C-alpha cells in the first residue's frame, strides 16, 4: 500500500468518530494541534476518493450536512499507515543520536 497523504490520514483519524464535513474540519484542526487547516475543497475531494476506495462510507444527511464513517478497510489502512509512520520515526531516532555525538 502506498503512503497515505496527510489529508487522508487526518480524515480517517477524525472519522474514528463518525461525523459531517464541517465537524471533520474542526476535529482535524484539533487533532493536529492547529497545524493542519483543511478547506472544504480539499476535504470533499478526499472524501469522494476515499468513499470510492471503500475506506469510508456515506451514512446519510441531516439537512445539508453529509455524514460519513470509517469502514473496517479504512481502519485497517489507518492502522497500517500509523505503523509505517511509527517505524519512520523510530528509524529516524538515529538523527538524535548523531546530535549527541557531535
Amino acid at each position: 500500500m502506498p503512503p497515505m497523504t496527510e489529508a487522508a490520514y487526518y480524515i480517517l483519524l477524525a472519522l474514528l468518530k463518525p461525523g459531517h464535513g464541517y465537524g471533520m474540519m474542526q476535529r482535524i484542526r484539533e487533532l493536529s494541534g492547529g497545524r493542519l487547516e483543511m478547506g472544504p475543497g480539499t476535504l470533499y475531494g478526499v472524501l469522494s476518493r476515499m468513499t470510492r476506495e471503500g475506506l469510508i462510507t456515506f451514512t446519510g444527511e441531516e439537512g445539508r450536512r453529509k455524514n460519513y464513517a470509517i469502514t473496517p478497510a479504512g481502519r485497517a489502512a489507518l492502522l497500517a499507515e500509523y505503523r509505517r509512520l511509527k517505524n519512520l520515526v523510530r528509524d529516524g531516532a538515529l538523527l538524535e543520536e548523531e546530535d549527541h555525538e557531535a
Side-chain angles (χ1 to χ4, degrees):
M1 177 179 279
M4 194 176 284
T5 65
E6 187 175 35
Y9 183 79
Y10 275 97
I11 288 170
L12 290 176
L13 271 181
L15 284 176
L16 289 173
K17 293 181 182 175
H20 55 80
Y22 181 70
M24 274 186 266
M25 288 188 287
Q26 291 178 310
R27 185 140 164 78
I28 288 165
R29 187 179 315 113
E30 177 187 303
L31 289 168
S32 69
R35 188 181 53 76
L36 183 60
E37 295 275 337
M38 192 173 301
T42 300
L43 177 73
Y44 286 102
V46 177
L47 288 175
S48 177
R49 179 180 55 80
M50 293 173 84
T51 300
R52 284 192 311 271
E53 293 173 352
L55 300 175
I56 63 173
T57 188
F58 173 71
T59 60
E61 292 183 51
E62 292 174 25
R64 293 181 51 207
R65 293 182 171 180
K66 294 180 177 172
N67 293 299
Y68 296 87
I70 192 169
T71 64
R75 186 177 286 274
L78 178 61
L79 185 56
E81 181 66 4
Y82 170 73
R83 288 180 176 144
R84 185 187 77 79
L85 293 170
K86 225 169 118 174
N87 287 334
L88 287 175
V89 170
R90 184 196 65 227
D91 296 346
L94 176 65
L95 292 168
E96 291 178 0
E97 292 171 17
E98 288 179 355
D99 285 346
H100 293 307
E101 292 173 6

